[in-house]
Amino acid sequence: MTIKLNGIGKRFNTEWIFRNLSFEFAAGGKYAITGPNGSGKSTLLQLAGSYILPNTGKIEYFLDGKPLPSEKVETAISIAAPYLEVVEEMTLKEFFHFHFQMKPCLPGITPEAIADITSLRSSFHKQIRYYSSGMKQRVKLAQAIFSDVSLVLLDEPLTNLDAEGVSLYHSLIDAYSKGRTIIVSSNDEKEYSFCNSKLEIAGFK
């Protein structure tokens, strides 16, 4: 997926977070959005995913070189972020089946296989509310990365992960990001070391 930001700006009340921002996220590229705390990294990520709308400017989406209708944008995007929760009353099996009914899983991969890959199989039938914070983060990453979408958005993806979780994150990116546009919002280079382009948002005040 290609995303074109055309002079966009976002404000909350009367305060501009950023404005006059033009940038193109090319299909298949790996991008990092960086900047100081409060500069609008997460806000820009949500704008790129069409979860919120800009106050000024325009965002365009293209899939296979053709304009993507606004009503189909959401189905082509997945996101993992600290502020987005999973359904903790569900078991992992229930949650994966629920999520992948809305956004199909990558071809040839089952929820059981995902649980094996993410080292969560022993807790497959346990309610997610009993998971540790690191286990919940693995679930968030799994539902985003294993969704069969063209754009994957990752906001501070290493939140609550230990060294083993960090290694898992990079192995998932290596194995499942090919051909897809990936955008990471972070100030931690460990989270975006695989990215080939960086957008420093602090310059768009």
Side-chain angles (χ1 to χ4, degrees):
M1 179 187 289
T2 296
I3 306 171
K4 293 183 179 180
L5 311 179
N6 302 303
I8 66 168
K10 185 64 180 178
R11 69 171 183 264
F12 294 109
N13 297 318
T14 60
E15 181 181 357
W16 286 96
I17 308 301
F18 51 79
R19 50 184 159 182
N20 300 321
L21 196 164
S22 295
F23 191 82
E24 179 174 322
F25 297 101
K30 309 295 183 284
Y31 296 89
I33 300 173
T34 64
N37 292 341
S39 59
K41 298 186 299 297
S42 295
T43 298
L44 180 55
L45 194 78
Q46 293 177 66
L47 283 164
S50 193
Y51 295 100
I52 58 176
L53 298 175
N55 295 105
T56 61
K58 182 180 180 182
I59 303 177
E60 298 176 285
Y61 300 87
F62 300 85
L63 193 58
D64 298 325
K66 300 177 182 179
L68 186 64
S70 57
E71 67 271 14
K72 293 186 177 181
V73 169
E74 191 274 336
T75 62
I77 299 173
S78 63
I79 184 172
Y83 41 83
L84 297 177
E85 298 299 330
V86 296
V87 185
E88 296 196 357
E89 290 73 20
M90 291 183 175
T91 66
L92 182 60
K93 178 180 180 180
E94 291 169 340
F95 176 71
F96 278 162
H97 281 285
F98 169 74
H99 176 77
F100 292 126
Q101 284 179 352
M102 298 181 291
K103 293 186 179 179
C105 191
L106 290 172
I109 299 179
T110 63
E112 290 78 8
I114 296 172
D116 287 335
I117 293 168
T118 55
S119 299
L120 293 171
R121 187 59 181 267
S122 63
S123 301
F124 197 50
H125 299 285
K126 183 186 294 185
Q127 285 185 316
I128 296 172
R129 62 177 171 170
Y130 296 116
Y131 283 21
S132 69
S133 57
M135 292 168 70
K136 290 176 183 177
Q137 183 63 13
R138 291 183 185 220
V139 176
K140 292 181 183 182
L141 291 173
Q143 59 85 26
I145 293 173
F146 286 102
S147 293
D148 189 10
V149 295
S150 300
L151 172 65
V152 179
L153 305 175
L154 303 170
D155 196 347
E156 298 182 351
L158 297 185
T159 299
N160 296 320
L161 292 182
D162 57 15
E164 183 180 337
V166 172
S167 179
L168 169 66
Y169 166 70
H170 286 287
S171 69
L172 292 176
I173 294 295
D174 288 342
Y176 301 104
S177 69
K178 295 177 180 63
R180 300 203 277 178
T181 308
I182 310 289
I183 306 177
V184 183
S185 167
S186 175
N187 278 330
D188 185 348
E189 191 171 353
K190 288 187 296 184
E191 297 186 310
Y192 63 81
S193 58
F194 59 89
C195 293
N196 46 35
S197 297
K198 185 162 65 172
L199 172 57
E200 172 58 59
I201 195 173
F204 293 93
K205 276 290 187 180

